[in-house]
Amino acid sequence: MVTGESGAPDLLITGIGELTTNVSTPDDVCGTIHDAAVLVRAGIVAWTGPTAEAPDAASAVPVVDVDGAAVTPGFVDSHTHLVFGGDRSAEFVARMAGRPYAAGGIRSTVAATRSATDAELRARLRALVAELRPQGTTTFEIKTGYGLTVADEERLARLAREVTEEVTFLGAHVVPEEFQDDPDAYVDLVAGPMLDAVASHCRWIDVFCERGAFTPAQADRVLAAGAARGLGIRVHGNQLGPGEGVRLAVARGAASVDHGTYLDDVDIAALAGSDTVLTLLPGVEFSTRQPYPDARALWDAGVTIALASDCNPGSSFTSSMPLMIALAVREMGLTPDEAVWAATAGGAAALRREDVGVLRPGARADLVVLRAPTRAYLAYRPGVPLIEGVLIGGRGVAGSALSAVRRS
Ligand code: NIG
Ligand code: FE
């Protein structure tokens, strides 16, 4: 088998019943090609188009025929908190019996994370990565935020960096107990020595701007310090109630503001006129019993929407992007096409990435083969394992459809 520079084998995937390229047109946000093929060379998409028009050169490479299956770009999960210790299932059970979700629960994970060894955190992290890949996630972001000391935030960032290049410093997740009486002193620590310790591992800085976490002024101080160190900006905002998070994110030129459960018209207008993506996290509304935001209205207002899992032990302990698509369609009013776009190209936009979330020449060969004829099945058959094969950078990482490439 021919292998390119990346070490990944060259490959022609044929027999794709419905190919989602995300090369959008006014009538088709997903840029669909029917009866399609994808040529992969050296881990990169070299060509896409109707099988009948595959370039002559493609005849020299191994062929995998997927027999009418739908193929989409790999899912881009732009918001997770995968490095943590402990268990909060009892909190979930109490919520389902009527207790509300509160930001303070984060502190119990902080205590468990601080007392875990690197090896324990790494084992949990790797298990979650092994869980998300066969579900079609090919790019994922990870936040720190359960350490909240200089040493603990540094090790969470370092561990996260072992499995992804999209690492976010979230020292401003919640004010830890030991700073309860002097939150501004904690903000000084985050914006100073803690940022210094983590910056080399991170691409992004994030802050939880919410009642019970950080005020807009504190949040802005943290974001300004991160920006001065060259980190890109993300914000957790408008999750537990209306507030300044979205407006702060837009004013700071954030790549994304995440949650957006409680938005008013001013927030929506600010987002629609900006480059800031709104990352919706339907797993949170699902597992905290909060109201789902109206993604239909947001999309129609011109807001760029991403979908992410927010995988974390408190508010959304799922790594399933297909579930996010199903919830966004059923509960938030997106069409299946819009939801699939938001879980792929939308996530890429939230991470300011042009090489993923799209299947066009030059993009990374990250794709998902579905055990289904169309992408709509991701919402139409919720809870059913529909991921037949996953390719990351041209290598098969999961599923039988692409096992030929995995073995090589
Ligand atoms: O994105 N909003 C803040 N952080 C997480 C929740 C973390 C937790 O409850 O442990 C979130 O929902
Ligand atoms: Fe989060």
Side-chain angles (χ1 to χ4, degrees):
M1 190 171 281
V2 186
T3 61
E5 258 173 51
S6 68
D10 290 351
L11 172 71
L12 181 68
I13 305 172
T14 62
I16 301 171
E18 179 200 74
L19 175 66
T20 300
T21 67
N22 284 341
V23 178
S24 304
T25 68
D27 297 331
D28 177 13
V29 71
C30 290
T32 310
I33 306 174
H34 294 285
D35 303 320
V38 175
L39 176 64
V40 175
R41 284 199 186 278
I44 302 290
V45 175
W47 175 88
T48 63
T51 301
E53 295 171 21
D56 287 347
S59 61
V61 304
V63 175
V64 172
D65 185 335
V66 295
D67 196 22
V71 168
T72 71
F75 303 127
V76 179
D77 191 349
S78 60
H79 183 145
T80 81
H81 307 245
L82 297 184
V83 200
F84 62 87
D87 180 285
R88 281 166 61 200
S89 54
E91 196 188 293
F92 173 79
V93 172
R95 263 202 317 273
M96 295 304 108
R99 279 251 310 267
Y101 175 79
I106 294 168
R107 288 195 184 131
S108 74
T109 299
V110 169
T113 304
R114 287 178 180 175
S115 63
T117 63
D118 279 15
E120 287 164 346
L121 294 176
R122 184 182 285 117
R124 164 71 76 70
L125 169 62
R126 294 200 173 223
L128 286 168
V129 172
E131 175 183 290
L132 61 83
R133 284 199 171 126
Q135 298 180 85
T137 298
T138 52
T139 299
F140 53 93
E141 179 260 20
I142 300 179
K143 299 173 199 302
T144 70
Y146 290 124
L148 312 187
T149 65
V150 172
D152 283 304
E153 286 294 300
E154 191 279 332
R155 76 189 179 113
L156 300 198
R158 177 166 36 81
L159 291 166
R161 187 68 188 85
E162 290 177 1
V163 297
T164 184
E165 60 215 15
E166 301 292 350
V167 179
T168 300
F169 172 45
L170 181 59
H173 197 184
V174 76
V175 177
E177 236 149 65
E178 61 275 20
F179 281 92
Q180 205 159 322
D181 297 332
D182 194 358
D184 285 317
Y186 182 65
V187 172
D188 290 341
L189 181 70
V190 171
M194 205 182 270
L195 175 60
D196 289 341
V198 303
S200 67
H201 305 306
C202 296
R203 183 167 178 233
W204 303 100
I205 189 159
D206 193 345
V207 54
F208 187 15
C209 179
E210 196 88 38
R211 195 181 294 266
F214 294 87
T215 66
Q218 291 168 335
D220 197 45
R221 211 142 58 80
V222 170
L223 296 178
R229 294 293 300 255
L231 300 184
I233 290 177
R234 335 185 60 74
V235 174
H236 278 70
N238 303 60
Q239 173 184 2
L240 305 175
E244 298 292 313
V246 164
R247 293 193 281 273
L248 176 67
V250 170
R252 276 263 164 221
S256 179
V257 57
D258 300 35
H259 287 282
T261 310
Y262 296 93
L263 300 176
D264 63 22
D265 290 348
V266 178
D267 298 321
I268 296 170
L271 283 165
S274 78
D275 289 335
T276 300
V277 172
L278 175 65
T279 299
L280 298 175
L281 308 168
V284 176
E285 284 84 26
F286 178 83
S287 61
T288 61
R289 288 218 172 115
Q290 286 182 276
Y292 290 91
D294 185 352
R296 171 79 274 129
L298 291 160
W299 185 287
D300 291 342
V303 176
T304 303
I305 292 176
L307 288 171
S309 72
D310 197 9
C311 185
N312 78 81
S315 63
S316 178
F317 198 13
T318 176
S319 54
S320 171
M321 290 295 281
L323 175 62
M324 299 309 115
I325 290 168
L327 290 173
V329 171
R330 174 62 182 85
E331 304 291 344
M332 294 171 147
L334 293 186
T335 67
D337 280 5
E338 290 162 348
V340 169
W341 185 93
T344 52
L351 292 171
R352 299 226 161 130
R353 293 276 298 265
E354 294 191 345
D355 58 330
V356 297
V358 65
L359 293 172
R360 64 166 170 241
R364 222 165 68 173
D366 291 1
L367 58 83
V368 170
V369 181
L370 299 179
R371 198 173 302 134
T374 69
R375 56 188 170 254
Y377 273 59
L378 289 163
Y380 175 47
R381 303 207 65 211
V384 175
L386 293 178
I387 309 301
E388 177 73 28
V390 181
L391 210 65
I392 300 184
R395 278 187 187 286
V397 295
S400 55
L402 299 164
S403 56
V405 229
R406 188 161 81 246
R407 278 198 303 272
S408 57

